[in-house]
Amino acid sequence: MGLLDGKVAIVTGAGRGLGRGEALELAREGAGVVVGEVDEAAGQAVVDEIVAAGGTAVLAVGDCSDIGAAQAVVRIAVEQLGRLDALVNNAGILRDRTLAKMTPEEWDAVIKVHLRGHYAPTHAAVHHWREAGRPGHVVCTASTSGILGNFGQSNYGAAKAGIAAFAQIVAQENWKHGITVNAICPAARTRMTEGAYGEKLAGAGEEGFDFWHPDNVAPFVAFLCSDASSHISGKVFGVQGDTVELYRPFTSEAFLQKGGARWTAEELAGRVDELFAETGIEPAAQNGMARLRFSMTQRS
Ligand SMILES: NC(=O)c1ccc[n+]([C@@H]2O[C@H](COP(=O)([O-])OP(=O)(O)OC[C@H]3O[C@@H](n4cnc5c(N)ncnc54)[C@H](O)[C@@H]3O)[C@@H](O)[C@H]2O)c1
């Protein structure tokens, strides 16, 4: 018995990296899987792997940020696998560059694949579930690069912080329809992060456990795709290695008030440092990634 027996799930960008691991895990837990990919050969290889292992999978070739392709992926789930229970928005790209050097094409490409690439399939899936009067689960893929803020990734970080907000808002809008929407901030060694997470970390944690292996992220995603997670929605989780973290959304830390009157800019200039005094937050720009609880540096 698997956690997802009889269910059907879509994974976008499932041809490699985290998406591949998620597709294989969903199939192991009993789900039929629609492998969404722009790269047909990579997607077909994952379909073949699932089928060879005795699972059910079909390929949906297309760009997840294309409205027609996103509608098609939902249609393929329903027409070829009989239903739709979960959507994992995973596909993503990087075009890292500091803002001063970033071209409009680099900005647009990242915003489109991530933000529109979350909007389009989620819109199609939510429509399907609401029209059918059925529950559903959406897993979005954000990143600590966005919610903490990483140097050199203003396009990617803006998209990923946007995805965390998207999950929280779409979750509220669809809670009464039995549709959950959560986001993960994964960390793993994939083509996207080549070099950042080194080789297999033999001996880290349990004997030979490879902390940064991409497949370590998949079981939590499978859980979020299952009805066992129906009470959880609009949340942002960190997932890496043997660890699952819960993030608190942006929260007000301190305030200044004038007592029922409008401030002048000059008054604020004289008082604004009081906001920082009790919080430990530096007024100067900082790399938010320093606040990561689990990073490669901390583990090596
Ligand atoms: N690897 C990490 O440590 C890490 C950290 C934070 C967030 N993420 C996020 O996790 C997700 C997966 O990343 P990964 O590391 O596995 O990357 P990856 O490059 O290994 O795999 C991404 C896959 O998505 C596919 N893809 C790209 N654009 C697509 C599109 N428009 N439509 C359909 N498929 C598309 C690619 O062909 C590729 O197979 C991304 O959203 C990424 O931003 C990864």
Side-chain angles (χ1 to χ4, degrees), residues 24-72:
L24 290 165
E25 179 74 8
L26 291 167
R28 266 193 298 274
E29 288 294 341
V33 180
V34 181
V35 170
E37 251 302 334
V38 269
D39 180 338
E40 183 168 359
Q44 187 58 51
V46 173
V47 169
D48 294 346
E49 212 174 332
I50 291 172
V51 171
T56 305
V58 294
L59 179 63
V61 180
D63 173 352
C64 62
S65 66
D66 179 89
I67 302 294
Q71 288 167 342

Short mmCIF file of all heavy atoms in Angstrom, two decimals, residues 24-72:
data_model
loop_
_atom_site.label_atom_id
_atom_site.label_comp_id
_atom_site.label_asym_id
_atom_site.label_seq_id
_atom_site.Cartn_x
_atom_site.Cartn_y
_atom_site.Cartn_z
N LEU A 24 9.47 9.96 -9.57
CA LEU A 24 9.74 8.55 -9.22
C LEU A 24 9.14 8.21 -7.86
O LEU A 24 8.57 7.13 -7.67
CB LEU A 24 11.26 8.30 -9.21
CG LEU A 24 11.92 8.31 -10.60
CD1 LEU A 24 13.44 8.42 -10.47
CD2 LEU A 24 11.56 7.05 -11.38
N GLU A 25 9.24 9.14 -6.91
CA GLU A 25 8.72 8.88 -5.56
C GLU A 25 7.18 8.82 -5.57
O GLU A 25 6.58 7.96 -4.92
CB GLU A 25 9.20 9.98 -4.61
CG GLU A 25 8.72 9.86 -3.18
CD GLU A 25 9.40 8.75 -2.39
OE1 GLU A 25 10.36 8.15 -2.89
OE2 GLU A 25 8.94 8.48 -1.25
N LEU A 26 6.55 9.73 -6.31
CA LEU A 26 5.09 9.71 -6.41
C LEU A 26 4.62 8.39 -7.00
O LEU A 26 3.65 7.79 -6.54
CB LEU A 26 4.61 10.89 -7.28
CG LEU A 26 4.79 12.28 -6.66
CD1 LEU A 26 4.59 13.37 -7.72
CD2 LEU A 26 3.83 12.50 -5.50
N ALA A 27 5.35 7.91 -8.02
CA ALA A 27 5.00 6.62 -8.65
C ALA A 27 5.22 5.48 -7.65
O ALA A 27 4.38 4.57 -7.56
CB ALA A 27 5.84 6.41 -9.90
N ARG A 28 6.32 5.52 -6.90
CA ARG A 28 6.58 4.48 -5.89
C ARG A 28 5.46 4.44 -4.85
O ARG A 28 5.12 3.39 -4.32
CB ARG A 28 7.92 4.74 -5.17
CG ARG A 28 9.10 4.00 -5.79
CD ARG A 28 10.31 4.03 -4.87
NE ARG A 28 10.80 5.38 -4.62
CZ ARG A 28 11.66 6.03 -5.41
NH1 ARG A 28 12.14 5.46 -6.48
NH2 ARG A 28 12.05 7.26 -5.12
N GLU A 29 4.89 5.61 -4.55
CA GLU A 29 3.80 5.67 -3.56
C GLU A 29 2.45 5.33 -4.18
O GLU A 29 1.42 5.47 -3.54
CB GLU A 29 3.75 7.05 -2.90
CG GLU A 29 4.90 7.31 -1.92
CD GLU A 29 4.86 6.40 -0.68
OE1 GLU A 29 3.79 5.83 -0.38
OE2 GLU A 29 5.90 6.26 -0.03
N GLY A 30 2.46 4.95 -5.47
CA GLY A 30 1.24 4.42 -6.07
C GLY A 30 0.52 5.35 -7.04
O GLY A 30 -0.50 4.97 -7.61
N ALA A 31 1.04 6.58 -7.24
CA ALA A 31 0.34 7.52 -8.13
C ALA A 31 0.71 7.27 -9.59
O ALA A 31 1.84 6.88 -9.91
CB ALA A 31 0.72 8.96 -7.76
N GLY A 32 -0.26 7.51 -10.48
CA GLY A 32 0.05 7.65 -11.89
C GLY A 32 0.63 9.05 -12.07
O GLY A 32 0.14 10.00 -11.44
N VAL A 33 1.67 9.18 -12.89
CA VAL A 33 2.37 10.47 -12.96
C VAL A 33 2.38 11.03 -14.38
O VAL A 33 2.69 10.31 -15.34
CB VAL A 33 3.83 10.32 -12.46
CG1 VAL A 33 4.57 11.66 -12.53
CG2 VAL A 33 3.86 9.78 -11.03
N VAL A 34 2.04 12.30 -14.51
CA VAL A 34 2.23 13.00 -15.77
C VAL A 34 3.55 13.75 -15.66
O VAL A 34 3.72 14.62 -14.80
CB VAL A 34 1.10 14.00 -16.07
CG1 VAL A 34 1.34 14.68 -17.42
CG2 VAL A 34 -0.25 13.30 -16.06
N VAL A 35 4.50 13.34 -16.50
CA VAL A 35 5.83 13.95 -16.51
C VAL A 35 5.79 15.14 -17.46
O VAL A 35 5.72 14.97 -18.68
CB VAL A 35 6.89 12.90 -16.96
CG1 VAL A 35 8.25 13.55 -17.20
CG2 VAL A 35 7.00 11.78 -15.92
N GLY A 36 5.80 16.35 -16.91
CA GLY A 36 5.80 17.57 -17.73
C GLY A 36 7.23 18.00 -17.98
O GLY A 36 8.03 18.07 -17.05
N GLU A 37 7.58 18.26 -19.22
CA GLU A 37 8.97 18.64 -19.57
C GLU A 37 9.01 19.43 -20.88
O GLU A 37 8.24 19.17 -21.79
CB GLU A 37 9.86 17.39 -19.77
CG GLU A 37 10.89 17.14 -18.70
CD GLU A 37 11.90 18.27 -18.48
OE1 GLU A 37 12.16 19.06 -19.40
OE2 GLU A 37 12.44 18.36 -17.38
N VAL A 38 9.96 20.37 -20.97
CA VAL A 38 10.26 20.97 -22.28
C VAL A 38 11.24 20.08 -23.04
O VAL A 38 11.25 20.08 -24.26
CB VAL A 38 10.93 22.36 -22.21
CG1 VAL A 38 9.92 23.47 -22.22
CG2 VAL A 38 11.91 22.50 -21.09
N ASP A 39 12.07 19.37 -22.29
CA ASP A 39 13.10 18.51 -22.90
C ASP A 39 12.51 17.10 -23.06
O ASP A 39 12.45 16.33 -22.11
CB ASP A 39 14.32 18.50 -21.96
CG ASP A 39 15.46 17.63 -22.48
OD1 ASP A 39 15.20 16.74 -23.31
OD2 ASP A 39 16.60 17.84 -22.03
N GLU A 40 12.08 16.79 -24.30
CA GLU A 40 11.33 15.56 -24.55
C GLU A 40 12.13 14.31 -24.16
O GLU A 40 11.58 13.39 -23.53
CB GLU A 40 10.93 15.49 -26.03
CG GLU A 40 10.09 14.27 -26.33
CD GLU A 40 9.44 14.32 -27.71
OE1 GLU A 40 9.62 15.31 -28.44
OE2 GLU A 40 8.73 13.34 -28.04
N ALA A 41 13.41 14.28 -24.53
CA ALA A 41 14.23 13.08 -24.26
C ALA A 41 14.36 12.85 -22.76
O ALA A 41 14.24 11.71 -22.28
CB ALA A 41 15.61 13.23 -24.91
N ALA A 42 14.60 13.92 -22.01
CA ALA A 42 14.75 13.79 -20.55
C ALA A 42 13.43 13.33 -19.93
O ALA A 42 13.41 12.45 -19.06
CB ALA A 42 15.18 15.13 -19.95
N GLY A 43 12.32 13.88 -20.41
CA GLY A 43 11.02 13.50 -19.88
C GLY A 43 10.69 12.05 -20.19
O GLY A 43 10.21 11.31 -19.32
N GLN A 44 10.97 11.64 -21.45
CA GLN A 44 10.66 10.25 -21.86
C GLN A 44 11.48 9.26 -21.02
O GLN A 44 10.98 8.20 -20.65
CB GLN A 44 10.96 10.07 -23.36
CG GLN A 44 10.52 8.72 -23.91
CD GLN A 44 9.02 8.47 -23.73
OE1 GLN A 44 8.18 9.30 -24.10
NE2 GLN A 44 8.65 7.33 -23.14
N ALA A 45 12.74 9.62 -20.71
CA ALA A 45 13.59 8.72 -19.91
C ALA A 45 12.97 8.48 -18.54
O ALA A 45 13.02 7.36 -18.02
CB ALA A 45 14.99 9.32 -19.79
N VAL A 46 12.37 9.51 -17.95
CA VAL A 46 11.75 9.35 -16.62
C VAL A 46 10.47 8.53 -16.73
O VAL A 46 10.20 7.65 -15.89
CB VAL A 46 11.50 10.72 -15.96
CG1 VAL A 46 10.71 10.58 -14.67
CG2 VAL A 46 12.84 11.41 -15.68
N VAL A 47 9.69 8.76 -17.78
CA VAL A 47 8.49 7.93 -18.02
C VAL A 47 8.91 6.47 -18.12
O VAL A 47 8.33 5.58 -17.47
CB VAL A 47 7.75 8.38 -19.30
CG1 VAL A 47 6.67 7.37 -19.69
CG2 VAL A 47 7.13 9.76 -19.09
N ASP A 48 9.96 6.19 -18.92
CA ASP A 48 10.42 4.81 -19.12
C ASP A 48 10.87 4.19 -17.80
O ASP A 48 10.61 3.01 -17.54
CB ASP A 48 11.58 4.78 -20.13
CG ASP A 48 11.12 5.18 -21.54
OD1 ASP A 48 9.89 5.22 -21.78
OD2 ASP A 48 11.99 5.49 -22.39
N GLU A 49 11.56 5.00 -16.99
CA GLU A 49 12.06 4.50 -15.70
C GLU A 49 10.90 4.11 -14.78
O GLU A 49 10.94 3.07 -14.12
CB GLU A 49 12.89 5.63 -15.05
CG GLU A 49 14.04 5.14 -14.22
CD GLU A 49 14.90 6.31 -13.71
OE1 GLU A 49 14.95 7.37 -14.38
OE2 GLU A 49 15.50 6.13 -12.64
N ILE A 50 9.86 4.95 -14.75
CA ILE A 50 8.69 4.66 -13.90
C ILE A 50 7.99 3.39 -14.38
O ILE A 50 7.65 2.51 -13.60
CB ILE A 50 7.72 5.87 -13.87
CG1 ILE A 50 8.37 7.04 -13.12
CG2 ILE A 50 6.38 5.50 -13.23
CD1 ILE A 50 7.60 8.35 -13.19
N VAL A 51 7.79 3.31 -15.71
CA VAL A 51 7.08 2.16 -16.27
C VAL A 51 7.89 0.88 -16.05
O VAL A 51 7.34 -0.16 -15.66
CB VAL A 51 6.77 2.40 -17.77
CG1 VAL A 51 6.23 1.13 -18.43
CG2 VAL A 51 5.78 3.55 -17.92
N ALA A 52 9.22 0.97 -16.22
CA ALA A 52 10.08 -0.21 -16.03
C ALA A 52 10.00 -0.71 -14.58
O ALA A 52 10.15 -1.90 -14.31
CB ALA A 52 11.53 0.12 -16.40
N ALA A 53 9.76 0.21 -13.66
CA ALA A 53 9.67 -0.17 -12.24
C ALA A 53 8.25 -0.63 -11.88
O ALA A 53 7.95 -0.87 -10.72
CB ALA A 53 10.08 1.00 -11.36
N GLY A 54 7.37 -0.72 -12.88
CA GLY A 54 6.02 -1.23 -12.64
C GLY A 54 5.00 -0.15 -12.39
O GLY A 54 3.83 -0.44 -12.05
N GLY A 55 5.39 1.13 -12.54
CA GLY A 55 4.47 2.24 -12.29
C GLY A 55 3.76 2.69 -13.56
O GLY A 55 3.93 2.13 -14.64
N THR A 56 2.98 3.76 -13.41
CA THR A 56 2.23 4.33 -14.53
C THR A 56 2.68 5.77 -14.74
O THR A 56 2.70 6.55 -13.78
CB THR A 56 0.71 4.34 -14.22
OG1 THR A 56 0.33 2.99 -13.90
CG2 THR A 56 -0.10 4.85 -15.38
N ALA A 57 3.05 6.10 -15.98
CA ALA A 57 3.47 7.48 -16.27
C ALA A 57 3.20 7.80 -17.73
O ALA A 57 3.27 6.92 -18.59
CB ALA A 57 4.95 7.65 -15.96
N VAL A 58 2.88 9.07 -18.00
CA VAL A 58 2.77 9.54 -19.37
C VAL A 58 3.54 10.86 -19.49
O VAL A 58 3.73 11.56 -18.49
CB VAL A 58 1.29 9.76 -19.82
CG1 VAL A 58 0.54 8.45 -19.87
CG2 VAL A 58 0.59 10.75 -18.91
N LEU A 59 3.95 11.15 -20.71
CA LEU A 59 4.74 12.35 -20.96
C LEU A 59 3.86 13.47 -21.48
O LEU A 59 2.97 13.24 -22.29
CB LEU A 59 5.82 12.01 -22.00
CG LEU A 59 6.76 13.13 -22.43
CD1 LEU A 59 7.61 13.62 -21.25
CD2 LEU A 59 7.68 12.65 -23.56
N ALA A 60 4.09 14.70 -21.00
CA ALA A 60 3.43 15.88 -21.56
C ALA A 60 4.55 16.86 -21.90
O ALA A 60 5.10 17.50 -21.02
CB ALA A 60 2.46 16.48 -20.55
N VAL A 61 4.88 16.93 -23.19
CA VAL A 61 5.96 17.82 -23.62
C VAL A 61 5.41 19.23 -23.76
O VAL A 61 4.37 19.44 -24.39
CB VAL A 61 6.56 17.36 -24.97
CG1 VAL A 61 7.67 18.30 -25.40
CG2 VAL A 61 7.08 15.94 -24.85
N GLY A 62 6.08 20.20 -23.16
CA GLY A 62 5.63 21.58 -23.29
C GLY A 62 6.25 22.47 -22.25
O GLY A 62 6.83 22.00 -21.26
N ASP A 63 6.11 23.76 -22.49
CA ASP A 63 6.63 24.79 -21.58
C ASP A 63 5.53 25.07 -20.54
O ASP A 63 4.43 25.49 -20.90
CB ASP A 63 6.94 26.02 -22.43
CG ASP A 63 7.33 27.23 -21.59
OD1 ASP A 63 7.23 27.19 -20.35
OD2 ASP A 63 7.72 28.24 -22.21
N CYS A 64 5.84 24.85 -19.26
CA CYS A 64 4.80 24.98 -18.22
C CYS A 64 4.27 26.41 -18.11
O CYS A 64 3.21 26.63 -17.51
CB CYS A 64 5.33 24.50 -16.87
SG CYS A 64 6.71 25.46 -16.28
N SER A 65 4.99 27.40 -18.66
CA SER A 65 4.51 28.78 -18.57
C SER A 65 3.60 29.15 -19.74
O SER A 65 3.08 30.26 -19.80
CB SER A 65 5.69 29.75 -18.48
OG SER A 65 6.43 29.73 -19.68
N ASP A 66 3.41 28.21 -20.67
CA ASP A 66 2.51 28.42 -21.80
C ASP A 66 1.10 27.99 -21.39
O ASP A 66 0.90 26.87 -20.92
CB ASP A 66 3.02 27.58 -22.99
CG ASP A 66 2.13 27.72 -24.20
OD1 ASP A 66 2.39 28.64 -24.99
OD2 ASP A 66 1.17 26.93 -24.34
N ILE A 67 0.14 28.88 -21.55
CA ILE A 67 -1.21 28.61 -21.05
C ILE A 67 -1.80 27.35 -21.69
O ILE A 67 -2.35 26.48 -21.01
CB ILE A 67 -2.15 29.82 -21.32
CG1 ILE A 67 -1.59 31.11 -20.66
CG2 ILE A 67 -3.58 29.54 -20.84
CD1 ILE A 67 -1.55 31.11 -19.16
N GLY A 68 -1.62 27.23 -23.02
CA GLY A 68 -2.17 26.06 -23.73
C GLY A 68 -1.51 24.78 -23.26
O GLY A 68 -2.18 23.75 -23.05
N ALA A 69 -0.18 24.82 -23.07
CA ALA A 69 0.54 23.62 -22.64
C ALA A 69 0.13 23.24 -21.22
O ALA A 69 0.03 22.05 -20.88
CB ALA A 69 2.05 23.87 -22.72
N ALA A 70 -0.11 24.24 -20.38
CA ALA A 70 -0.51 23.97 -18.99
C ALA A 70 -1.91 23.35 -18.95
O ALA A 70 -2.16 22.42 -18.18
CB ALA A 70 -0.47 25.26 -18.17
N GLN A 71 -2.80 23.86 -19.82
CA GLN A 71 -4.15 23.26 -19.88
C GLN A 71 -4.05 21.83 -20.42
O GLN A 71 -4.75 20.93 -19.95
CB GLN A 71 -5.06 24.11 -20.76
CG GLN A 71 -5.43 25.42 -20.09
CD GLN A 71 -6.09 26.42 -21.03
OE1 GLN A 71 -5.98 26.31 -22.26
NE2 GLN A 71 -6.75 27.41 -20.47
N ALA A 72 -3.13 21.63 -21.37
CA ALA A 72 -2.98 20.29 -21.97
C ALA A 72 -2.50 19.28 -20.93
O ALA A 72 -2.93 18.13 -20.94
CB ALA A 72 -2.01 20.35 -23.15
#
